[in-house]
Amino acid sequence: MSERNGEHYSEHDSGRSGGQGTDGATVPVPDENRRQVLYWRLLARLFDPEEQASLESASLAVVEDIGLPAALLDPGASVDSVVQRHPELAAEFEGLMAPGPDEDGVRDRAAEVRRAALASKVLLNVFASGSGTVSAEQLARWQSDAGWLERALGCRPGELRGGGGGRSGGRGVSPTGTGVGGPAPDLSRLIPEIGPELGSIEAGLVKRMHLREVLSDPALASRLTPSMSLIEQLLRDKDNLSGVALANAKSLIRRYVDEVAQVLRSQVEKSTVGDIDRSVPPKRVFRNLDLDRTIWKNLTNWDPEEERLYVDRLYYRHTSRKTTPQRLIVVVDQSGSMVDSMVNCTILASIFAGLPKVDVHLIAYDTQALDLTPWSHDPFETLLRTKLGGGTDGTVAMTLAQPKIAEPRNTVVVWISDFYEWRTEELFESMAAIHRSGAKFIPVGSVTSAGRGSVNPWFREKFKDLGTPVISGHIKKLVHELKTFLT
């Protein structure tokens, strides 16, 4: 193999990397080799922070040859800094992992090289998180770079790490890539795994921070961006904070709660609601005026000479919905493995508590149970009263939940846990009794943005046999189930 101007040539290149010459020999395609140089350099840097001189020099030659800035190869430069100096690249980073074939079906190999250079930058900045103590500035930079990766995958910044999960309605991700040897890095099938992995990296960075010192300095604290990993650490450490540090911690928690609540509230509002109740007369107010029907019904009063329509009756839309007062009991496992679910469900309970004719009760438990109903309308205050960690004993929560089921057919019990319990038989029998009473029992294995969680297989099979299979996945699933029952 020889090297020239950043291009690698091989006498044994396959037909996929080139075409056939007139003498039958394989003709190498420089762009294909350029792209592979960039990806091999990416892999080398991910597994070994030390530079490989030949790959670095070859990659630099490729990047300069295709007109991209050398800063793309600088691990110390954030994507934000690159875009700030070269704003024309911002649009290329958006949806970067979503390339497809050209309209005529012909691959644009030169464009693939360019995408490889940009994708390598984002992937290296996110997945090569280094070691040692992390500063607030370094965490903020990583969070920004992770946001660019989420954008490249067709998601909103923060979405895969706990801001609401799932793909946005943007450009999406094409399933046509084939990794290092294909047109573009295809991560679409890995999105369910990428979210938890990003969360894990971020959690590691947060643990490597001197968080209390950062929170004690308002200037440093202002650089922190709220995220699930950061909120989890703040909730675990809140009893050890005081003064300025505690105030900054509360501010970060409230910011995160407000951001997530805004997303969840829109999902609740978009879900289907009850049928129109036509037995209730429509309210005769301007916002309910059915203008089209009013005009149609009064057309006989049209005066052609005056060209004027005389209206002798107004018609209004029915807006009253068929609803029944419902009781929603949310029981949340607050042990260490369920932090994400605890945060999401606390916020979700507060949203449903704001709906008319919905009576919400909230219980949190580990080896002890805590009735948080008085604060269920305020997720911020609720979270400040939780104590994360410890073991799991659902029977103590059941003791609080059962007396709240006054009218079974008018009650839904949502139980969020991984169901790794001490007294499995006893707890399951009490859950089955709730189901047999006529109340709707919804076991939930995880309510996270990523939708990944471990559920005790014994409980999973038991719930399946009972006819109440475990919901495990994106929080939108739980929103849909609750709206279906409550409206």
Side-chain angles (χ1 to χ4, degrees):
M1 178 179 291
S2 61
E3 180 180 321
R4 186 178 69 232
N5 294 331
E7 302 166 5
H8 286 239
Y9 297 91
S10 173
E11 291 84 354
H12 304 288
D13 276 339
S14 66
R16 191 171 65 84
S17 296
Q20 295 293 323
T22 57
D23 58 355
T26 298
V27 178
V29 179
D31 286 331
E32 186 79 3
N33 293 324
R34 287 171 169 170
R35 185 171 54 81
Q36 291 195 23
V37 165
L38 293 170
Y39 284 146
W40 282 119
R41 183 253 181 190
L42 168 64
L43 292 174
R45 292 301 295 263
L46 286 173
F47 289 102
D48 185 355
E50 294 296 325
E51 292 186 1
Q52 300 294 323
S54 59
L55 286 174
E56 293 295 327
S57 61
S59 298
L60 179 59
V62 170
V63 167
E64 291 179 341
D65 194 44
I66 60 177
L68 287 173
L72 288 174
L73 301 178
D74 179 5
S78 66
V79 178
D80 272 341
S81 66
V82 173
V83 170
Q84 187 175 10
R85 294 187 182 96
H86 306 275
E88 70 280 0
L89 295 180
E92 293 190 63
F93 278 111
E94 295 278 354
L96 180 62
M97 309 295 183
D102 294 341
E103 293 182 1
D104 58 3
V106 178
R107 287 172 55 181
D108 185 345
R109 295 180 187 272
E112 290 170 11
V113 177
R114 191 175 182 88
R115 286 197 296 265
L118 297 172
S120 295
K121 176 59 179 174
V122 179
L123 293 171
L124 184 60
N125 277 25
V126 171
F127 289 102
S129 55
S131 59
T133 303
V134 174
S135 67
E137 185 177 355
Q138 287 173 318
L139 177 62
R141 180 197 131 171
W142 184 91
Q143 290 174 327
S144 174
D145 287 334
W148 280 105
L149 175 58
E150 288 164 319
R151 285 170 171 165
L153 291 170
C155 303
R156 294 185 300 272
E159 196 168 14
L160 294 181
R161 289 169 285 148
R167 295 252 297 283
S168 68
R171 297 170 59 180
V173 181
S174 168
T176 59
T178 54
V180 171
D186 172 32
L187 302 181
S188 60
R189 289 183 288 270
L190 297 178
I191 280 182
E193 302 297 327
I194 289 175
E197 184 62 28
L198 291 178
S200 177
I201 295 173
E202 185 173 30
L205 292 171
V206 171
K207 289 179 180 178
R208 286 157 49 192
M209 292 180 65
H210 296 305
L211 188 55
R212 295 179 193 175
E213 295 178 14
V214 172
L215 292 172
S216 298
D217 187 331
L220 293 177
S222 66
R223 298 181 183 177
L224 295 176
T225 300
S227 65
M228 180 59 70
S229 298
L230 183 59
I231 297 309
E232 175 181 349
Q233 194 66 26
L234 292 175
L235 291 174
R236 290 185 185 281
D237 206 34
K238 65 181 186 300
D239 293 336
N240 299 316
L241 301 175
S242 61
V244 175
L246 181 59
N248 285 328
K250 288 184 176 181
S251 176
L252 286 165
I253 294 172
R254 184 173 288 282
R255 279 174 57 194
Y256 184 79
V257 165
D258 290 344
E259 290 170 6
V260 175
Q262 184 177 1
V263 174
L264 294 184
R265 190 173 291 110
S266 67
Q267 292 175 3
V268 171
E269 291 171 352
K270 290 177 182 177
S271 299
T272 56
V273 294
D275 296 331
I276 295 292
D277 188 353
R278 299 192 180 279
S279 65
V280 178
K283 291 184 179 180
R284 300 173 67 84
V285 294
F286 179 75
R287 68 173 179 273
N288 287 346
L289 179 63
D290 189 338
L291 188 59
D292 291 341
R293 189 173 179 220
T294 297
I295 293 175
W296 176 257
K297 290 290 187 179
N298 288 279
L299 281 179
T300 55
N301 299 327
W302 171 255
D303 188 331
E305 294 183 359
E306 297 184 15
E307 295 185 349
R308 181 173 298 180
L309 178 66
Y310 292 91
V311 177
D312 56 18
R313 180 180 176 183
L314 297 174
Y315 291 84
Y316 296 86
R317 299 184 184 89
H318 286 78
T319 57
S320 179
R321 303 276 178 178
K322 294 180 180 179
T323 60
T324 305
Q326 306 284 359
R327 173 161 291 188
L328 171 63
I329 302 172
V330 181
V331 183
V332 188
D333 177 352
Q334 65 172 355
S335 62
S337 60
M338 299 296 294
V339 176
D340 201 342
S341 293
M342 181 72 210
V343 173
N344 277 289
C345 287
T346 297
I347 296 171
L348 189 60
S350 73
I351 293 171
F352 278 100
L355 296 179
K357 299 182 180 180
V358 178
D359 181 23
V360 175
H361 294 256
L362 180 62
I363 299 170
Y365 75 97
D366 41 37
T367 55
Q368 295 181 326
L370 181 63
D371 191 343
L372 297 170
T373 301
W375 303 278
S376 61
H377 65 285
D378 188 339
F380 172 72
E381 291 295 333
T382 300
L383 288 172
L384 291 184
R385 285 169 171 78
T386 60
K387 293 186 179 297
L388 304 177
T392 307
D393 185 2
T395 60
V396 297
M398 185 62 75
T399 301
L400 289 180
Q402 283 177 325
K404 295 178 180 290
I405 307 175
E407 300 178 30
R409 297 194 177 278
N410 196 31
T411 303
V412 57
V413 178
V414 179
W415 198 291
I416 301 100
S417 174
D418 54 12
F419 298 100
Y420 285 93
E421 294 281 344
W422 288 359
R423 292 179 273 189
T424 56
E425 292 279 356
E426 180 182 347
L427 179 59
F428 178 76
E429 284 304 315
S430 58
M431 291 173 170
I434 291 176
H435 175 69
R436 290 192 295 266
S437 73
K440 185 173 179 62
F441 185 81
I442 304 177
V444 182
S446 66
V447 185
T448 67
S449 56
R452 187 177 75 172
S454 174
V455 177
N456 187 332
W458 186 88
F459 268 94
R460 186 185 290 277
E461 288 302 315
K462 285 289 188 178
F463 285 133
K464 185 177 179 181
D465 294 340
L466 188 65
T468 58
V470 175
I471 294 177
S472 185
H474 195 278
I475 194 168
K476 288 180 181 179
K477 291 184 180 180
L478 182 56
V479 170
H480 176 74
E481 286 285 332
L482 292 178
K483 286 288 285 188
T484 299
F485 183 83
L486 294 173
T487 57

